[in-house]
Amino acid sequence: IKGFSPSIYSTAITLIALKDALNCEFICQNVDETLLNELILSKTNVLINLQNEDGGWGSNSDDKISKSAPTALAVIAIEKCISDEIEYKWKIIDKAKEFLISIQNSEGEWEDVIEREVGFTVIRQSTPYCLGALALTRSMISDECYQRSLYRILNLFKNGRLFYKDSTVSTWSTR
C-alpha cells in the first residue's frame, strides 16, 4: 500500500503468534506447516532488515529513532522465529540487547516518549517488554538492572490490577 508504513509492534506480535501457533496441535492440523514456516522466516527477515544502526527499531519501518518497546518485541520475535543455528541471528540480537541495556533509566525502566502530530504525547512504559526480551535471550546484564526492573514492574500492580497512573501506555493532550 503506497504511503503505508508497517508497525514494528504489529509485525513482531503477529510473528510471535504465528510461531506459537505452530506448537498448537489443533491449529497445525488445518495449516500447511511448511508454508507457514516459510512465511514466518520471510517476514522475520523483513523485520531484521528494519533494524536501525544503533541496534534498535523504531515504531514503524520509516522511523529511524529507536525505541525500547518495538526493539524488545522485535528481539522476542527474532528469538522465537529464527533458528539458533542461523549465524546472523545472534549478531542482530546482541546489537539490540546492547541498545536496550544502554537506554534503561536509573529507576530500572525503559520508556518511549512518542510525539504525535495529532497533538498527543504518549509515554509507553516498556519495562515488561524489555525485561522479557532480555530474559528470553539469556542476557548477562547486572543483577542490579534486573532487580530495578522487577521492582518497578511489581510496583505497577495494586490489588491484582495494573495501576492506571503507571500503566503500559499513558497518553494526554498536548494542545
Side-chain angles (χ1 to χ4, degrees), residues 111-154:
E111 291 186 351
D112 292 330
V113 177
I114 304 166
E115 296 293 335
R116 306 255 180 180
E117 291 178 22
V118 294
F120 287 87
T121 298
V122 176
I123 295 181
R124 187 178 317 277
Q125 299 198 345
S126 309
T127 302
Y129 297 135
C130 294
L131 189 59
L134 292 170
L136 181 65
T137 58
R138 300 165 297 282
S139 297
M140 298 297 291
I141 65 173
S142 75
D143 287 340
E144 182 183 331
C145 290
Y146 276 123
Q147 292 302 317
R148 286 192 321 246
S149 298
L150 288 171
Y151 178 78
R152 186 66 187 133
I153 291 171
L154 291 172

Side-chain angles (χ1 to χ4, degrees), residues 21-22 24-33:
L22 283 173
C24 179
E25 236 178 84
F26 174 75
I27 293 173
C28 283
Q29 291 174 358
N30 301 311
V31 173
D32 181 340
E33 198 171 328

Side-chain angles (χ1 to χ4, degrees), residues 15-168:
L15 286 167
I16 292 164
L18 289 172
K19 190 63 175 181
D20 287 345
L22 283 173
N23 296 324
C24 179
E25 236 178 84
F26 174 75
I27 293 173
C28 283
Q29 291 174 358
N30 301 311
V31 173
D32 181 340
E33 198 171 328
T34 302
L35 187 62
L36 187 53
N37 270 317
E38 288 172 2
L39 174 72
I40 291 169
L41 183 59
S42 168
K43 297 307 177 189
T44 304
N45 281 320
V46 169
L47 184 66
I48 287 169
N49 288 327
L50 295 174
Q51 186 177 34
N52 292 332
E53 287 295 316
D54 62 6
W57 279 262
S59 296
N60 59 56
S61 60
D62 296 331
D63 189 357
K64 299 304 175 200
I65 300 171
S66 295
K67 296 169 185 67
S68 58
T71 299
L73 287 170
V75 166
I76 293 167
I78 294 164
E79 167 59 25
K80 286 182 170 252
C81 296
I82 301 287
S83 168
D84 286 347
E85 289 78 41
I86 297 178
E87 192 174 308
Y88 66 86
K89 171 184 177 176
W90 292 109
K91 182 179 177 185
I92 300 293
I93 287 178
D94 287 345
K95 193 172 180 182
K97 290 188 317 187
E98 287 175 22
F99 170 75
L100 288 175
I101 292 167
S102 75
I103 62 168
Q104 184 186 29
N105 71 25
S106 62
E107 294 178 6
E109 294 181 310
W110 286 268
E111 291 186 351
D112 292 330
V113 177
I114 304 166
E115 296 293 335
R116 306 255 180 180
E117 291 178 22
V118 294
F120 287 87
T121 298
V122 176
I123 295 181
R124 187 178 317 277
Q125 299 198 345
S126 309
T127 302
Y129 297 135
C130 294
L131 189 59
L134 292 170
L136 181 65
T137 58
R138 300 165 297 282
S139 297
M140 298 297 291
I141 65 173
S142 75
D143 287 340
E144 182 183 331
C145 290
Y146 276 123
Q147 292 302 317
R148 286 192 321 246
S149 298
L150 288 171
Y151 178 78
R152 186 66 187 133
I153 291 171
L154 291 172
N155 280 321
L156 292 175
F157 291 95
K158 304 288 182 209
N159 301 322
R161 292 179 174 249
L162 193 62
F163 191 63
Y164 178 74
K165 184 176 117 183
D166 294 315
S167 66
T168 302

